[in-house]
Amino acid sequence: MATLNSKIPDGPIAEKWTNYKAHQKLVNPANKRKLDIIVVGTGLAGASLAASLGELGFKVKVFCYQDSPRRAHSIAAQGGINAAKNYQNDGDTVYRLFYDTVKGGDYRAREANVYRLAEVSNNIIDQCVAQGVPFAREYGGLLANRSFGGALVSRTFYARGQTGQQLLLGAYSALSRQIKKGNVELFTRSEMQDLVLIDGKARGIITRNLITGKLERHFGHTVALATGGYGNVFFLSTNAMGSNGSAAWQAYKKGAFFANPAFVQIHPTCIPVHGDYQSKLTLMSESLRNDGRIWVPKNIEDAEKIRKGEIQPKDIAEEDRDYYLERRYPAFGNLVPRDVASRAAKERCDAGYGVGTGKAVFLDFEDAIKRLGRDAIEARYGNLFQMYEKINDTNPYETPMMIYPAIHYTMGGTWVDYELMSTIPGLFVLGEANFSDHGANRLGASALMQGLADGYFVAPYTIQNYLADEILVPRMSTDLPEFDEAEKAVQDRLNKLISINGKYSVDHFHKKLGHIMWDHVGMARTKEGLEEGIQMIRELKKEFWKELKVPGSLDELNNELEKAGRVADFLEIGELMAMDALNRNESCGGHFREEYKTEEGEALRDDKNYTYVSAWEYKGPDQEPVLHKEPLTFEAIKVQQRNYKK
Amino acid sequence: MDLTLKVWRQKNNKAKGKFVEYKIKNISKDSSFLEMMDILNEQLIEEGVEPVAFDHDCREGICGMCSLYINGRPHGPDEAVTVCQLHMRKFNDGDTIVIEPWRAKAFPLIKDLMVDRSAFDTIIQAGGYVSVNTGGVPDANSIPIERDKAELSMDAAACIGCGACVAACKNASAMLFVSAKVSQLNLLPQGKAEAKLRVEAMVKEMDDLGFGNCTNTGACEAECPKEISLTNIARLNRNFYAAKLS
Ligand SMILES: Cc1cc2nc3c(=O)[nH]c(=O)nc-3n(C[C@H](O)[C@H](O)[C@H](O)COP(=O)(O)OP(=O)(O)OC[C@H]3O[C@@H](n4cnc5c(N)ncnc54)[C@H](O)[C@@H]3O)c2cc1C
Ligand code: SF4
Ligand code: FES
């Protein structure tokens, strides 16, 4: 049975990564050509990894479900990417970025990984600039920075409100170059359906060609998953419609432990829900909190009148506004971390002070426009304001935006060791799909950093260390019985999905699941709520397999079938999330249990009993998974109660 | 509001396609166009009809996946938005809406409203990059770049690769798309070393893939959801002739 060995290198924290690289095994150029690597995913993590491995001379196959690698969900990231460059001379260091990230994650991340992340952050910016990523610049021609939540320094690099797009296009261009050179082979509109193990090692995948419906087999000496997060469990989220947890879930069922599934991030600044036909939620970048002030009416009667449309926000006098973040957290004000800001918004709305539908608060730029002028605000946030206006039909230059928290990111994911290898030998997991760096809450602008750190600067080394012992393994045939078996299992499941022929569409079930998750496994969790949620998910799962209706056939393009496969997995992921949340009798970061809070309503950790990563092991269908614990030790950082008040 | 939809249905690349008419009721003005399509599909599934296949993913106007030709315009009647950001308030109760796929030789149809745009990837593979490997690059601030240049480069880099420019063009030319990538890189010092090679390789690939010639009609700019400017085409042409002359 697999056990948890995080393989953290010896030595002081600042030297671990250097030591690792100095002693790791390498593969000589002639052997690299003989080694096949499968990379699933072309987001920041997957594209940067595939490109880097191609440059090194490995034979790489890369997969995505969209029609082009450039459309991976990373493209949608708006605000920016962190790095400890200290170009602003405001006191930033690698240690400070490391410290902020561990603290922001509420001391539930693995220290050594986070330090390495902070360490390579600067290389990322250099790399992207060399590729031609058009970051924002000052008049002197040097790079500009902005601030993000949870930090007292300005260390976020950005390209207008399209940072993810520009970083991904950079990685995509590097990937395209390797495709042209023949080092990387690209498979678009291909969805991974299962992982193939041979003698206990990851050796290949089964994919479905989404155009023809054909199942295909691919061998790799090693497999890397960079398939993103599972936030769409909630149906409504800021994720792309196709974002899914299926690849990670297939790996889980083949023996890769799943870590901290309960840790999801709820982003405070999203456009509120407006109707039940709604298909997704739109994020308004956190960078808006640099200049926007968040408030609700101080008097409950005013809130009511606003909701009824009897008065407008501008009718409420300054002294009758409650800038509740500035009030509660004077030191960080509107720039508190996301989990804190989200809960504060929920608290005000639950207490009856919400605006709009009652589930919204104001994000107001009036002061910033007075102070800096409309042009300056337009230069900073023009495209976000435009997006808001297109959706809401109101002009944020004139009347405050309305925002509400929404599911945005999953900190949990496949358990990986320091080398980013899962508990399945030869299976590496990168980017949002793994659990490693953000603990119980991720700071803004650090997912892009992590994706690119993993793909450009970490996994190309650690995968080599693994492959150095595989050089004598010849390319294997995909006619091996292990491939037969895996393909057959996939075929059976697809047959089953299409032949249920029940009454309800996939979306019907997905929406139901989303409601259960939001109400029971959302921003405020309780023991009873979670227990009830688990029961409800189990019921829904049964109903799904009895009443699902998937039109069309298997051997053609079939969007409903694709969605059905993903939702079938979400039903199981949701259950594990609830179980993990139930197990964790504390509040930390994005995981808030009503039973565990301070008198002021802040999250109350239980460091004595819960300073560990929960890593769940699959035991078979309808069996209880087994919980393993990776204890977290903090040597370079003193564990404290998070405090954003002073 | 209640609407009549005329939707292009085609089972696959080989089958013959045709318009099919659907009625749809009670659509909220606040829903997006694609949410309206979701509702249509739910209705079709209920009736036992195969839902309409269309591409989409981010639904935020950034991935470039959505691609519907609505009432004769790529991305529909609103200015500077993709279909996923188009809202039903742009239509009126009782309207008939005609929905087609992108039509261009270099974008073969896959099913219903979905087309294959991998030709765009092939063009980028021909030269849409700066040839640097991971690692061993200079410090980011060692290359100062005039702010105006950086902004112009960013304007061009905003292209989402949706292909509306091709769909809008009577010649199905990919000039706006290609010029955006060439401009982004050739404007920056990092891209200068390969500027000539890049423009030649990308233009050649575009021609080889069967995209038409640019005759400066400007239809692409008018329909581009990211407002990519025709000045990029002028810049590409300058780069291209300079490369030919040298
Ligand atoms: C709206 C929004 C804004 C954000 N803004 C920021 C920000 O400003 N700063 C920041 O740091 N972070 C931000 N984030 C978070 C960040 O964008 C993501 O966490 C990060 O981009 C994830 O990258 P990734 O490479 O891990 O995965 P993704 O980009 O999600 O890529 C996943 C890839 O896997 C492929 N894939 C998935 N499943 C399969 C399968 N079964 N078979 C084959 N292929 C598959 C997909 O095709 C895709 O190529 C934002 C997120 C959102 C939603
Ligand atoms: S130039 Fe405009 S229309 Fe053409 S692909 Fe780019 S964004 Fe789309
Ligand atoms: S769905 Fe991504 S741009 Fe429209």
Side-chain angles (χ1 to χ4, degrees), chain B:
Chain B
M1 48 184 156
D2 299 347
L3 302 161
T4 304
L5 306 176
K6 284 193 172 154
V7 183
W8 185 259
R9 305 285 332 236
Q10 184 171 340
K11 187 127 180 86
N12 55 46
N13 192 277
K14 309 223 164 50
K16 223 165 120 9
K18 61 169 192 285
F19 281 106
V20 178
E21 204 174 284
Y22 302 107
K23 300 264 183 228
I24 181 161
K25 289 201 162 64
N26 278 327
I27 297 295
S28 157
K29 278 198 173 311
D30 288 329
S31 77
S32 73
F33 196 87
L34 296 188
E35 283 163 356
M36 185 275 293
M37 295 294 290
D38 293 341
I39 296 172
L40 169 70
N41 277 343
E42 285 295 298
Q43 187 178 312
L44 295 180
I45 294 170
E46 211 163 290
E47 292 165 6
V49 179
E50 253 198 78
V52 181
F54 63 94
D55 264 327
H56 65 103
D57 201 26
C58 73
R59 296 205 176 185
E60 281 189 13
I62 193 76
C63 74
M65 193 117 177
C66 61
S67 40
L68 303 180
Y69 197 81
I70 301 165
N71 290 343
R73 294 185 64 184
H75 295 302
D78 203 357
E79 300 308 315
V81 294
T82 52
V83 208
C84 60
Q85 291 178 301
L86 174 67
H87 279 72
M88 294 312 291
R89 59 182 84 95
K90 291 281 160 192
F91 298 89
N92 298 310
D93 187 33
D95 277 0
T96 297
I97 306 176
V98 182
I99 310 170
E100 296 170 76
W102 279 183
R103 296 192 197 270
K105 189 171 133 222
F107 290 163
L109 190 131
I110 296 173
K111 181 174 183 175
D112 295 339
L113 304 170
M114 283 165 89
V115 298
D116 178 356
R117 286 168 290 184
S118 51
F120 270 11
D121 288 327
T122 314
I123 294 176
I124 298 293
Q125 286 155 20
Y129 40 76
V130 176
S131 296
V132 288
N133 284 352
T134 303
V137 297
D139 182 84
N141 257 354
S142 68
I143 326 170
I145 301 175
E146 285 164 67
R147 184 174 159 146
D148 291 350
K149 277 257 168 71
E151 291 293 313
L152 273 182
S153 171
M154 180 62 216
D155 286 344
C159 164
I160 57 173
C162 62
C165 44
V166 177
C169 175
K170 66 176 168 51
N171 309 321
S173 167
M175 227 12 189
L176 194 62
F177 168 76
V178 176
S179 70
K181 189 43 86 182
V182 166
S183 288
Q184 177 206 338
L185 297 176
N186 288 13
L187 275 165
L188 298 173
Q190 303 93 302
K192 281 274 186 296
E194 293 168 290
K196 280 188 208 160
L197 285 175
R198 175 176 305 117
V199 71
E200 287 187 318
M202 290 179 74
V203 168
K204 178 169 186 311
E205 190 69 66
M206 166 177 78
D207 292 343
D208 290 351
L209 286 163
F211 290 100
N213 288 326
C214 171
T215 54
N216 287 312
T217 67
C220 52
E221 183 191 57
E223 298 298 351
C224 171
K226 297 295 146 182
E227 303 182 293
I228 302 294
S229 154
L230 285 177
T231 55
N232 290 300
I233 297 187
R235 195 177 291 114
L236 179 145
N237 284 330
R238 278 200 303 279
N239 281 196
F240 186 74
Y241 291 114
K244 285 283 172 218
L245 287 175
S246 63

Side-chain angles (χ1 to χ4, degrees), chain A residues 581-641:
Chain A
L582 186 60
N583 168 69
R584 196 168 275 278
N585 292 314
E586 65 163 350
S587 293
C588 57
H591 168 67
F592 192 78
R593 286 276 303 267
E594 288 289 353
E595 304 95 323
Y596 309 101
K597 57 185 177 196
T598 64
E599 270 170 26
E600 290 157 310
E602 307 294 340
L604 187 61
R605 288 196 323 259
D606 176 355
D607 288 336
K608 196 163 148 279
N609 294 305
Y610 289 95
T611 309
Y612 66 75
V613 175
S614 48
W616 297 86
E617 182 186 9
Y618 182 71
K619 283 291 179 190
D622 304 317
Q623 305 267 349
E624 292 277 310
V626 171
L627 174 65
H628 300 260
K629 299 174 184 176
E630 178 200 341
L632 294 169
T633 47
F634 294 92
E635 286 161 13
I637 261 185
K638 196 165 146 261
V639 179
Q640 288 168 328
Q641 185 71 34

Side-chain angles (χ1 to χ4, degrees), chain A residues 180-196:
Chain A
K180 179 76 177 177
K181 288 191 164 177
N183 296 333
V184 179
E185 198 181 346
L186 172 67
F187 296 84
T188 58
R189 297 204 199 257
S190 288
E191 186 158 333
M192 174 171 163
Q193 301 286 317
D194 209 355
L195 179 71
V196 180

